[in-house]
Amino acid sequence: MALDVTVGVLRVDYPELAPVSRYDRKPEDLGFAGAGLGNEDNQTTGSFLGHAFSMETATSAPGDLEEAVGSFIGNGLKIIVVIGRGEDVLKVADLAGPDVLVFNASAPETSLRDRDCRANVLHVAPSRVMLADALAQFLVWKKWPRWFLVEGSNPRDVKLAEAYRRAAKKFGARIVEERVFEDTGGSRRADSGHVLVQRQIPVFTQEADEHDVIVAADESDVFALYLPFHAWTPRPVAGSGGLRPVTFHAAHEAWGATQFQRRFEKQSGRYIQPEDYNAWVALRVIGEAVTRAQSDDPQILKDYILSDAFELAAFKGQKVTFRAWNGQMRQPVLLTDSKITVSVSPQDGYLHHRSPLDSLGIDEAESACEAFNN
């Protein structure tokens, strides 16, 4: 049976300050470029079976989500990929209703996979606790168990810091000291920025308890990039600066990723961003499910994606699958210094009765998600 599948890709745009590094400026086609490549891959596969894949894209301010989702639903779309923050992913899921399948392609909030989970939401983006666990495994493997935790003052920074505290406890590390770097607002960049930072950061980090590594919780992009080479005590930096846990990055070349990177760069004219990769994965999950289940019904697709039969190659060394208890995609996490892939978690020796990938993030016994129980 030939199927005609159209996926809606919705990106929620927020007012933001310029990033600390101009390398981190967000491209106008962020997420859409990755989704486009995924749709192209689906078209290639689907052509052999008579299936047709297409996508519609839209951007929205947080206050205009009802209109954006309504437009998708009005056009008959039953699958939506969302690139946005946690509260807006939930809003889209609730606006779309239980008969629409929603893919979270960027929001890291752990609560979305826990007490605030929705039965119609699947998560291709890793959660904060998955990212924190991935970094913690490597730091403990390196025998750097003493952490100096520096967290930002914004709400997202506080949540990330809590994920690192949880990871330290889970894997046997010890946070020897914590300090809060206050975000005073205003521009984070200036021509004389390095002069000020060179004086401020050493004073801020002076006389910290003896530590092996500085772990930065700075999801707001305020200070973490300034920590390497400026801290009072010469120690490696990890977390939001230095060694970072990411879903994907442009320097990754292993497991066939070079060919994937080149295809993306040829199509988009730029390097890939995590949101692009997540959107690509979401489209490929949909395409694989449609091909294997021979259906475009959202409930049938969801059941197949959550089953033991589903798997997808994703250029990270292991095929990705989904956790049936909360809709989170199992996946390796890359650790990068932005130039190379330093390591990939889960690390050797971290075992789990189901899959080593389940050593990252909330396990089934810990989960407060009840939406997937039926």
Short mmCIF file of all heavy atoms in Angstrom, two decimals, residues 9 20-21 37-38 43-44 73 102 127 159 172 176 178 191-192 261 268 314 318 320 322 328 332 341 346 349 357-358:
data_model
loop_
_atom_site.label_atom_id
_atom_site.label_comp_id
_atom_site.label_asym_id
_atom_site.label_seq_id
_atom_site.Cartn_x
_atom_site.Cartn_y
_atom_site.Cartn_z
N VAL A 9 7.36 20.40 10.78
CA VAL A 9 8.53 20.73 11.60
C VAL A 9 8.34 22.15 12.10
O VAL A 9 8.33 23.11 11.32
CB VAL A 9 9.84 20.60 10.80
CG1 VAL A 9 11.04 20.90 11.70
CG2 VAL A 9 9.97 19.22 10.18
N VAL A 20 28.34 34.11 23.45
CA VAL A 20 29.69 34.52 23.84
C VAL A 20 30.63 34.43 22.64
O VAL A 20 31.42 35.33 22.38
CB VAL A 20 30.20 33.64 25.00
CG1 VAL A 20 31.69 33.85 25.22
CG2 VAL A 20 29.43 33.96 26.27
N SER A 21 30.55 33.32 21.90
CA SER A 21 31.40 33.14 20.73
C SER A 21 30.58 33.32 19.46
O SER A 21 29.49 32.78 19.33
CB SER A 21 32.01 31.74 20.73
OG SER A 21 32.66 31.48 19.51
N LEU A 37 17.30 17.06 5.26
CA LEU A 37 18.13 15.92 4.88
C LEU A 37 17.45 14.61 5.26
O LEU A 37 17.49 13.63 4.51
CB LEU A 37 19.51 16.03 5.53
CG LEU A 37 20.53 14.98 5.11
CD1 LEU A 37 20.82 15.07 3.61
CD2 LEU A 37 21.83 15.15 5.90
N GLY A 38 16.82 14.59 6.44
CA GLY A 38 16.09 13.39 6.85
C GLY A 38 14.94 13.08 5.92
O GLY A 38 14.69 11.91 5.58
N GLN A 43 12.62 9.95 1.39
CA GLN A 43 12.14 9.88 0.01
C GLN A 43 12.89 8.83 -0.79
O GLN A 43 12.30 8.09 -1.58
CB GLN A 43 12.29 11.25 -0.66
CG GLN A 43 11.33 12.31 -0.15
CD GLN A 43 11.64 13.68 -0.75
OE1 GLN A 43 12.79 14.00 -1.04
NE2 GLN A 43 10.61 14.49 -0.91
N THR A 44 14.20 8.75 -0.55
CA THR A 44 15.00 7.75 -1.26
C THR A 44 14.55 6.34 -0.93
O THR A 44 14.35 5.50 -1.82
CB THR A 44 16.49 7.92 -0.91
OG1 THR A 44 16.92 9.23 -1.29
CG2 THR A 44 17.33 6.87 -1.62
N ILE A 73 -2.55 21.12 11.86
CA ILE A 73 -3.68 20.20 12.00
C ILE A 73 -4.70 20.43 10.89
O ILE A 73 -5.28 19.49 10.33
CB ILE A 73 -4.34 20.36 13.39
CG1 ILE A 73 -3.32 20.11 14.50
CG2 ILE A 73 -5.53 19.41 13.53
CD1 ILE A 73 -2.66 18.76 14.48
N VAL A 102 4.04 13.64 18.44
CA VAL A 102 4.96 14.78 18.55
C VAL A 102 6.36 14.28 18.90
O VAL A 102 6.52 13.44 19.79
CB VAL A 102 4.46 15.77 19.62
CG1 VAL A 102 5.48 16.90 19.83
CG2 VAL A 102 3.10 16.34 19.23
N SER A 127 18.05 14.06 27.46
CA SER A 127 17.68 14.89 28.60
C SER A 127 18.94 15.43 29.28
O SER A 127 20.06 14.98 29.02
CB SER A 127 16.88 14.07 29.62
OG SER A 127 17.69 13.06 30.19
N LYS A 159 18.80 23.95 36.92
CA LYS A 159 18.36 22.59 36.59
C LYS A 159 19.54 21.74 36.12
O LYS A 159 19.64 20.56 36.46
CB LYS A 159 17.27 22.63 35.53
CG LYS A 159 15.95 23.23 36.00
CD LYS A 159 14.94 23.29 34.87
CE LYS A 159 13.63 23.92 35.35
NZ LYS A 159 12.64 24.03 34.24
N GLY A 172 29.59 8.04 41.90
CA GLY A 172 30.62 8.02 42.92
C GLY A 172 31.60 9.16 42.89
O GLY A 172 32.69 9.06 43.46
N VAL A 176 33.19 18.94 45.78
CA VAL A 176 33.91 19.44 46.95
C VAL A 176 33.53 20.88 47.27
O VAL A 176 33.68 21.32 48.42
CB VAL A 176 35.44 19.33 46.75
CG1 VAL A 176 35.85 17.86 46.60
CG2 VAL A 176 35.90 20.14 45.54
N GLU A 178 30.79 24.32 45.69
CA GLU A 178 29.89 24.89 44.70
C GLU A 178 29.92 26.41 44.79
O GLU A 178 29.98 26.96 45.89
CB GLU A 178 28.45 24.42 44.93
CG GLU A 178 28.25 22.92 44.84
CD GLU A 178 26.79 22.53 45.03
OE1 GLU A 178 25.91 23.37 44.75
OE2 GLU A 178 26.53 21.39 45.46
N ASP A 191 34.50 44.13 22.91
CA ASP A 191 35.85 44.11 22.35
C ASP A 191 36.91 43.92 23.44
O ASP A 191 37.96 43.34 23.20
CB ASP A 191 36.12 45.41 21.59
CG ASP A 191 35.28 45.51 20.31
OD1 ASP A 191 34.80 44.46 19.87
OD2 ASP A 191 35.12 46.62 19.79
N SER A 192 36.61 44.43 24.62
CA SER A 192 37.56 44.32 25.73
C SER A 192 37.22 43.17 26.67
O SER A 192 37.75 43.10 27.77
CB SER A 192 37.59 45.63 26.51
OG SER A 192 36.30 45.90 27.06
N GLN A 261 28.16 14.00 7.35
CA GLN A 261 28.51 15.41 7.51
C GLN A 261 28.66 16.09 6.15
O GLN A 261 28.18 17.23 5.94
CB GLN A 261 29.82 15.55 8.29
CG GLN A 261 29.83 14.91 9.67
CD GLN A 261 29.39 15.86 10.77
OE1 GLN A 261 28.71 16.84 10.51
NE2 GLN A 261 29.76 15.55 12.00
N SER A 268 23.38 22.31 2.93
CA SER A 268 23.07 23.51 3.70
C SER A 268 24.12 24.61 3.58
O SER A 268 23.85 25.77 3.90
CB SER A 268 22.90 23.15 5.17
OG SER A 268 24.13 22.67 5.71
N ALA A 314 22.55 5.56 13.48
CA ALA A 314 22.56 7.01 13.69
C ALA A 314 23.97 7.59 13.78
O ALA A 314 24.16 8.66 14.34
CB ALA A 314 21.78 7.35 14.95
N GLN A 318 26.28 2.74 17.78
CA GLN A 318 25.26 1.79 18.17
C GLN A 318 23.93 2.22 17.56
O GLN A 318 23.67 3.41 17.39
CB GLN A 318 25.10 1.73 19.70
CG GLN A 318 26.32 1.31 20.47
CD GLN A 318 26.04 1.22 21.95
OE1 GLN A 318 25.10 0.55 22.39
NE2 GLN A 318 26.85 1.89 22.75
N VAL A 320 20.15 3.15 17.58
CA VAL A 320 19.33 3.79 18.61
C VAL A 320 17.97 3.10 18.68
O VAL A 320 17.43 2.63 17.68
CB VAL A 320 19.17 5.30 18.36
CG1 VAL A 320 20.52 5.99 18.37
CG2 VAL A 320 18.45 5.57 17.03
N PHE A 322 14.18 3.06 21.53
CA PHE A 322 13.41 3.92 22.43
C PHE A 322 13.02 3.18 23.71
O PHE A 322 12.79 1.97 23.70
CB PHE A 322 12.13 4.42 21.74
CG PHE A 322 12.36 5.57 20.80
CD1 PHE A 322 12.88 5.34 19.53
CD2 PHE A 322 12.08 6.87 21.18
CE1 PHE A 322 13.11 6.40 18.66
CE2 PHE A 322 12.30 7.93 20.33
CZ PHE A 322 12.82 7.70 19.06
N GLN A 328 11.77 8.06 25.57
CA GLN A 328 13.10 8.64 25.34
C GLN A 328 13.93 7.74 24.43
O GLN A 328 13.99 6.53 24.63
CB GLN A 328 13.83 8.83 26.66
CG GLN A 328 15.29 9.26 26.53
CD GLN A 328 15.45 10.65 25.93
OE1 GLN A 328 14.91 11.62 26.45
NE2 GLN A 328 16.19 10.75 24.84
N PRO A 332 24.06 6.89 22.34
CA PRO A 332 25.34 7.31 22.89
C PRO A 332 25.42 8.84 22.92
O PRO A 332 24.75 9.53 22.14
CB PRO A 332 26.35 6.73 21.90
CG PRO A 332 25.61 5.64 21.18
CD PRO A 332 24.20 6.12 21.10
N THR A 341 36.12 14.48 18.70
CA THR A 341 35.36 13.66 19.64
C THR A 341 36.36 13.05 20.62
O THR A 341 37.17 12.20 20.25
CB THR A 341 34.59 12.54 18.92
OG1 THR A 341 33.69 13.14 17.98
CG2 THR A 341 33.81 11.70 19.91
N PRO A 346 27.92 5.59 26.72
CA PRO A 346 28.44 5.08 27.98
C PRO A 346 29.87 4.54 27.87
O PRO A 346 30.26 3.99 26.84
CB PRO A 346 27.46 3.96 28.33
CG PRO A 346 26.86 3.54 27.03
CD PRO A 346 26.79 4.77 26.20
N GLY A 349 32.56 -0.60 30.97
CA GLY A 349 32.43 -1.00 32.37
C GLY A 349 31.14 -0.56 33.02
O GLY A 349 30.81 -1.04 34.12
N LEU A 357 23.25 1.61 27.30
CA LEU A 357 22.71 2.95 27.04
C LEU A 357 21.74 3.38 28.13
O LEU A 357 21.54 4.59 28.35
CB LEU A 357 22.00 2.97 25.68
CG LEU A 357 22.91 2.80 24.45
CD1 LEU A 357 22.07 2.68 23.18
CD2 LEU A 357 23.89 3.95 24.34
N ASP A 358 21.15 2.42 28.83
CA ASP A 358 20.22 2.76 29.90
C ASP A 358 20.94 3.15 31.19
O ASP A 358 20.29 3.44 32.20
CB ASP A 358 19.24 1.62 30.15
CG ASP A 358 18.11 1.59 29.12
OD1 ASP A 358 17.88 2.64 28.50
OD2 ASP A 358 17.49 0.53 28.93
#
